[in-house]
Amino acid sequence: MPLVQSVVYETLRLSPPVPTQFARARKDFTLSSNDASYEIKKGELLCGFQPLVMRDPTVFDDPETFKPDRFVGEKGAELLNYLYWSNGPQSGSPSEHNKQCAGKDYVTLTAALIVAHMLRRYDSVGGEGLNITAPLEKAK
């Protein structure tokens, strides 16, 4: 089911379930991006806008295009380090020191099962952009 899981990740990348995330810095640190770095002081309010981050062309090739197989294979696994919709990278694991959503893997697995179930029920499923269509007749 790697392709189905990739479709879920790609859908969440283009339409993040939590578009804006806020946090306070717990210590002084340097925040670095591809082209700049910023000195962050303890107590400062930070805001991340996911729809912008998830379309970074230095990370995602052709970021505005839905690519169902973007997260398949070694390169796809590496891109999971840049998916931050659960208060941390998709490749991370929740723990007492990592305050990611404890249900992040459950959510993506449930979404993959829904997609797999939908694909099982129909002979063909098509779409354009973020719209999905299926014929009215069930598969035999």
Side-chain angles (χ1 to χ4, degrees):
M1 250 179 44
L3 182 58
V4 174
Q5 191 71 49
S6 180
V7 166
V8 170
Y9 290 146
E10 183 70 348
T11 301
L12 293 173
R13 182 187 73 82
L14 289 171
S15 301
V18 181
T20 308
Q21 295 176 333
F22 295 94
R24 288 220 179 263
R26 290 182 264 171
K27 62 182 180 181
D28 294 353
F29 68 97
T30 302
L31 178 65
S32 298
S33 70
N34 297 317
D35 58 356
S37 59
Y38 306 91
E39 294 298 320
I40 307 297
K41 302 293 181 197
K42 180 179 179 179
E44 288 184 337
L45 183 63
L46 303 169
C47 175
F49 185 61
Q50 297 304 322
L52 181 63
V53 173
M54 298 295 178
R55 288 173 169 80
D56 184 349
T58 61
V59 175
F60 300 103
D61 183 38
D62 197 11
E64 296 294 331
T65 302
F66 182 88
K67 293 185 174 182
D69 60 346
R70 186 183 302 270
F71 296 98
V72 174
E74 283 184 37
K75 187 175 179 186
E78 178 65 28
L79 286 175
L80 293 178
N81 293 318
Y82 297 96
L83 296 182
Y84 272 79
W85 52 66
S86 68
N87 208 25
Q90 180 61 29
S91 58
S93 296
S95 69
E96 70 178 80
H97 301 292
N98 182 349
K99 302 299 182 188
Q100 283 188 272
C101 173
K104 74 177 185 68
D105 294 326
Y106 177 74
V107 169
T108 56
L109 177 61
T110 301
L113 289 172
I114 290 169
V115 171
H117 181 71
M118 180 183 72
L119 293 174
R120 231 180 101 232
R121 292 180 56 113
Y122 297 97
D123 289 327
S124 66
V125 176
E128 189 171 313
L130 296 178
N131 297 319
I132 297 174
T133 58
L136 294 176
E137 291 183 37
K138 283 200 245 179
K140 297 177 184 173

